C-alpha cells in the first residue's frame, strides 16, 4: 500500500526523469533549448511543460510533468473502473513526444504515470501505467529491432511474459480503428499495473522510463544526417495526420486531461507543428511510402530471430 513517502518518491523520480530526458535531447539537438512553462490547475495541482521548437534536429518536442489532484474522477477514468466514482484522486506522470524535422528520423512517444484514488474508510486504489512507442515515416528494420530489443530488455527482469504481453497491448492500443491501421511500430504499453505490489511495480515504471533514451538516441544518430526531399517531407506531414487523429479521437490520456480540467496547451503539446490531409491520397505501389503501411505498420514479432 503506497504511503505519503512512497508517493513523494514517485514524484521525485518523475521530475528527475523529465530533467534527464530534456538534457539529453538538448544535447542531441545541439541548437535549440527547452522552454519551461509552469502552470497551476484551478481544481488542484499543476505541472511544468517543456517545449523545444525549430531546432537542428527537433522541429517540435514536448516533455511534460504534471501532478494533479481533485475530489472526483473524470468520466474517462471511471468508464472502465466504475468503483472509482466518488473517490478523490492524485495523478502524476511524465509524457513526451518528439517530432524531428528530418522525415527519416521517427517520431517517438513515451509516458510513465502513477494514479491513486482514495476514499475515507477504504483502502486506496493505485496503479502505474506507461510505455513508449515509435512512429517512423521511412522505416528500417534495424531501427524497429533496436527499439523492441531495448523494450524487451527493460521488461526481462520482471518475467518472460511481460514484454510479449505489453508489446501486444501497445499494438492493440495505438491502433486507429477508423483507419484499420496502426499508428506506428509499437513498443510497450501498460496500464492499471498493481499486481506485483507497490515496490516491484514502481521498479518496473523506472525501468521503462529509463529505457526511453537508450531506445531513441541511437536511432536519432543513425538517421539525422540522411538527406531528404520536399516530397518526403510532405509524406511525413501526411502521416503526422494519423498521429493527430489518434490523439484527438482515441487517446485516453488526452481525454482524461481535457475532462479533468487539465491545461489544454500542455495536453495538446504532443501535436506536430505542420500536418497535411489529402483527400484519399494513396502512395505509389512498391514505393517506400507504400512499404511503411504494407510491411511495417501491421503488428509483427520484431525479435523472432532472437527467441
Amino acid at each position: 500500500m503506497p504511503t505519503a513517502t512512497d508517493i513523494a518518491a514517485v514524484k521525485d523520480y518523475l521530475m528527475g526523469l523529465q530533467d534527464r530526458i530534456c538534457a539529453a535531447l538538448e544535447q542531441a539537438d545541439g541548437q535549440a533549448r527547452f522552454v519551461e512553462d509552469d502552470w497551476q490547475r484551478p481544481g488542484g495541482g499543476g505541472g511544468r511543460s517543456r517545449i523545444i521548437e525549430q531546432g537542428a534536429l527537433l522541429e517540435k518536442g514536448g516533455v511534460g510533468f504534471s501532478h494533479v489532484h481533485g475530489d472526483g474522477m473524470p468520466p474517462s477514468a471511471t468508464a472502465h473502473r466504475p468503483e472509482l466514482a466518488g473517490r478523490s484522486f492524485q495523478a502524476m506522470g511524465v509524457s513526451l513526444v518528439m517530432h524531428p524535422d528530418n522525415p527519416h528520423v521517427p517520431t517517438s512517444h513515451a509516458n510513465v504515470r502513477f494514479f491513486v484514488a482514495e476514499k475515507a474508510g477504504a483502502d486506496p486504489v493505485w496503479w502505474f501505467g506507461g510505455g513508449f512507442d515509435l512512429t517512423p515515416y521511412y522505416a528500417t528494420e534495424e531501427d524497429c529491432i533496436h527499439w523492441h530489443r531495448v523494450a524487451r530488455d527493460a521488461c526481462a527482469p520482471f518475467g518472460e511474459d511481460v514484454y510479449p504481453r505489453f508489446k501486444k497491448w501497445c499494438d492493440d492500443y495505438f491502433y486507429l480503428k477508423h483507419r484499420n491501421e496502426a499508428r506506428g511500430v509499437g513498443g510497450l504499453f501498460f496500464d492499471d499495473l498493481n499486481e506485483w505490489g507497490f515496490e516491484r511495480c514502481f521498479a518496473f515504471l523506472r525501468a521503462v522510463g529509463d529505457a526511453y533514451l537508450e531506445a531513441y538516441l541511437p536511432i536519432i544518430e543513425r538517421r539525422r544526417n540522411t538527406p531528404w526531399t520536399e516530397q518526403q517531407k510532405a509524406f511525413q506531414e501526411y502521416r503526422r495526420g494519423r498521429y493527430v487523429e489518434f490523439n484527438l479521437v482515441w487517446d485516453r490520456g488526452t481525454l482524461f486531461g481535457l475532462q479533468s480540467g487539465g491545461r489544454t496547451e500542455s495536453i495538446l503539446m504532443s501535436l506536430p507543428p505542420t500536418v497535411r490531409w489529402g483527400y484519399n491520397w494513396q502512395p505509389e505501389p512498391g514505393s517506400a511510402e507504400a512499404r511503411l503501411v504494407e510491411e511495417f505498420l501491421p503488428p509483427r514479432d520484431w525479435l523472432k530471430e532472437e527467441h
Side-chain angles (χ1 to χ4, degrees), residues 11 14-15 18 39 46-49 63-67 92-94:
K11 184 172 183 177
L14 292 170
M15 295 182 78
Q18 184 191 33
W39 53 274
R48 55 187 196 187
S49 299
V63 185
F65 165 80
S66 63
H67 178 198
M92 63 182 75
V94 168

Side-chain angles (χ1 to χ4, degrees), residues 123-293:
D123 289 337
V125 177
W126 59 268
W127 65 84
F128 291 94
F132 50 73
D133 61 283
L134 193 71
T135 306
Y137 306 100
Y138 290 90
T140 69
E141 294 204 350
E142 180 185 19
D143 292 348
C144 297
I145 290 169
H146 165 76
W147 183 263
H148 280 272
R149 186 182 293 135
V150 173
R152 180 202 58 195
D153 291 350
C155 295
F158 300 87
E160 289 186 5
D161 67 318
V162 175
Y163 166 72
R165 184 155 54 106
F166 293 169
K167 188 263 187 195
K168 182 181 186 302
W169 199 344
C170 188
D171 290 339
D172 292 343
Y173 182 77
F174 291 105
Y175 189 79
L176 288 84
K177 300 179 183 69
H178 64 291
R179 297 282 191 182
N180 293 319
E181 185 180 281
R183 186 174 84 173
V185 298
L188 299 172
F189 180 87
F190 65 99
D191 204 2
D192 304 324
L193 180 69
N194 61 11
E195 64 199 66
W196 301 328
F198 182 83
E199 288 301 327
R200 190 168 175 82
C201 290
F202 183 25
F204 182 70
L205 182 89
R206 297 195 302 270
V208 172
D210 294 348
Y212 167 74
L213 289 173
E214 183 184 349
Y216 193 44
L217 291 178
I219 296 174
I220 288 175
E221 293 310 315
R222 280 199 291 266
R223 308 299 163 202
R224 64 182 303 160
N225 296 318
T226 305
W228 50 273
T229 66
E230 287 305 313
Q231 182 180 355
Q232 290 171 330
K233 185 67 177 175
F235 179 68
Q236 178 200 51
E237 292 176 343
Y238 162 71
R239 290 299 313 177
R240 282 174 172 178
R242 298 291 205 266
Y243 211 91
V244 173
E245 289 176 23
F246 180 85
N247 278 31
L248 296 183
V249 176
W250 300 108
D251 187 68
R252 269 172 44 193
T254 302
L255 297 176
F256 171 80
L258 296 174
Q259 292 176 359
S260 62
R263 184 171 183 266
T264 301
E265 282 299 309
S266 297
I267 295 164
L268 300 183
M269 73 179 184
S270 63
L271 300 182
T274 58
V275 192
R276 70 174 65 205
W277 280 269
Y279 180 75
N280 200 26
W281 182 87
Q282 302 293 331
E284 290 290 327
S287 65
E289 291 81 5
R291 284 187 65 220
L292 175 73
V293 177

